[in-house]
Amino acid sequence: MSTTLSPVRRVDIIGVPMDLGASRRGVDMGPSAIRYAKLHERLRALGIETIVDRGDLAVPIRESAHSNDASAKFFNVITDVCDDLALLVEQAISAGGLPIVLGGDHSIAMGTLAGLTRARGGPPGLIWVDAHADINSPKSSASGNVHGMPLYFALENGFARAEQTVQIGLRDVDPGEKRMLRELGVRAFTMSDVDKRGMMHVVDEARAIAGSGERPIHVSFDMDAIDPSEAPGTGTPVKGGLSYREAHLVMEMLHDGGQLGSIEMVEINPILDNRNQTAALAVDLICSALGKSIL
């Protein structure tokens, strides 16, 4: 397959210590945990010429933020931060960088996708790796937590398109989300699909859908997609997730396809982790997506 992207020579790291979209505290420390797991050192070892760390965005703490809508808690505050994130993502792409966005909870995906859409004149192909569909609306959400809604808002605002969006690893989907996925036609691979078809075939199809028309692919990777035995440091763990090797195969195949244009790693909660195991795995997965190989 011919590709639209050049070899990665520059990456731009953006931290978003967001926890307002989730109910459990601690996920705001995710960006620091990933950096502590030697992200920069590992990227340099891959031979990437330029590594620009744009630091962490300012995110109001829960005690100083106001939430007036129980159906989408802290939504206005979250979208303000996402506007700031979108600008940095645009700037990174304009400078020739591949954005690596570090969360924080998954609500930040609204900002990442907005920035990618504006920078490239249209939504990217989207591969969403997650135990959850994250496509609840404020009306369908039982919790009001915005980290369960980012895909809904991204689709509603035109920062993602259903026909070029693929979900991998689903195993905990709300009734309203099931209806939404069917109505919109988003291609979703549950863990049962992964078991039956094998990850290689799943990613082959995902690349063909998300990357059709030679468009760049964005991977939004929620660490709860991986089985809690391998990634215990997440706020919403669900048994029966991706294995260590299945998770790496997703990222390796995205690299091999040549269309990966941006990476987002979210939902790492060091408070719940075991010796930073989940953050270290996130760094390993980023490296696989950027070309680290066994031989």
Side-chain angles (χ1 to χ4, degrees), residues 158-171:
F159 302 139
R161 292 190 181 125
E163 66 272 16
Q164 61 196 47
T165 297
V166 182
Q167 296 193 317
I168 297 175
L170 299 185
R171 57 194 187 277

Side-chain angles (χ1 to χ4, degrees), residues 118-134:
R118 293 167 186 162
R120 295 189 170 125
L126 175 58
I127 294 182
W128 190 279
V129 188
D130 202 325
H132 310 89
D134 290 353

Side-chain angles (χ1 to χ4, degrees), residues 93 112-125 158-161 164 215-216 218:
I93 292 174
T112 303
L113 289 166
L116 294 172
T117 300
R118 293 167 186 162
R120 295 189 170 125
F159 302 139
R161 292 190 181 125
Q164 61 196 47
R215 72 175 63 87
H218 172 61

Side-chain angles (χ1 to χ4, degrees), residues 14-272:
I14 306 167
V16 193
M18 172 70 74
D19 74 346
L20 297 176
S23 57
R24 301 187 76 168
R25 305 296 292 270
V27 71
D28 57 316
M29 295 186 282
S32 293
I34 296 173
R35 290 188 180 97
Y36 181 75
K38 301 184 178 179
L39 175 63
H40 292 71
E41 181 180 324
R42 298 285 302 281
L43 293 175
R44 284 193 293 270
L46 292 176
I48 294 172
E49 296 171 5
T50 305
I51 301 170
V52 178
D53 195 324
R54 294 173 177 265
D56 286 350
L57 288 172
V59 180
I61 63 171
R62 191 175 298 253
E63 286 76 12
S64 68
H66 298 285
S67 179
N68 298 321
D69 186 355
S71 67
K73 299 171 186 174
F74 302 106
F75 183 74
N76 290 339
V77 182
I78 291 169
T79 53
D80 285 344
V81 176
C82 284
D83 287 343
D84 295 338
L85 172 57
L87 179 60
L88 287 186
V89 170
E90 283 186 83
Q91 291 174 350
I93 292 174
S94 296
L98 183 148
I100 301 176
V101 180
L102 310 177
D105 70 61
H106 217 159
S107 66
I108 69 171
M110 297 185 291
T112 303
L113 289 166
L116 294 172
T117 300
R118 293 167 186 162
R120 295 189 170 125
L126 175 58
I127 294 182
W128 190 279
V129 188
D130 202 325
H132 310 89
D134 290 353
I135 200 169
N136 268 307
S137 71
K139 290 183 178 179
S140 69
S141 173
S143 68
N145 292 328
V146 178
H147 75 158
M149 307 180 196
L151 188 52
Y152 167 81
F153 284 114
L155 290 165
E156 184 181 62
N157 291 310
F159 302 139
R161 292 190 181 125
E163 66 272 16
Q164 61 196 47
T165 297
V166 182
Q167 296 193 317
I168 297 175
L170 299 185
R171 57 194 187 277
D172 185 9
V173 183
D174 294 337
E177 293 181 302
K178 294 178 184 180
R179 290 191 297 272
M180 185 73 71
L181 290 171
R182 286 194 296 267
E183 290 171 5
L184 294 176
V186 172
R187 185 70 173 97
F189 293 98
T190 67
M191 282 307 303
S192 293
D193 295 320
V194 172
D195 292 340
K196 293 171 184 176
R197 302 184 58 179
M199 185 58 83
M200 185 179 73
H201 294 291
V202 167
V203 180
D204 270 340
E205 187 171 338
R207 290 188 309 190
I209 295 169
S212 64
E214 302 281 315
R215 72 175 63 87
I217 293 173
H218 172 61
V219 59
S220 188
F221 202 115
D222 187 322
M223 291 300 289
D224 72 22
I226 304 171
D227 192 81
S229 62
E230 296 286 354
T234 67
T236 50
V238 185
K239 291 182 179 180
L242 302 179
S243 70
Y244 179 93
R245 275 304 311 150
E246 286 170 335
H248 273 285
L249 186 57
V250 172
M251 303 304 255
E252 290 162 358
M253 291 184 68
L254 288 175
H255 171 264
D256 293 345
Q259 290 174 261
L260 184 63
S262 46
I263 301 169
E264 184 171 53
M265 305 297 293
V266 300
E267 299 286 357
I268 296 166
N269 190 328
I271 291 176
L272 305 173

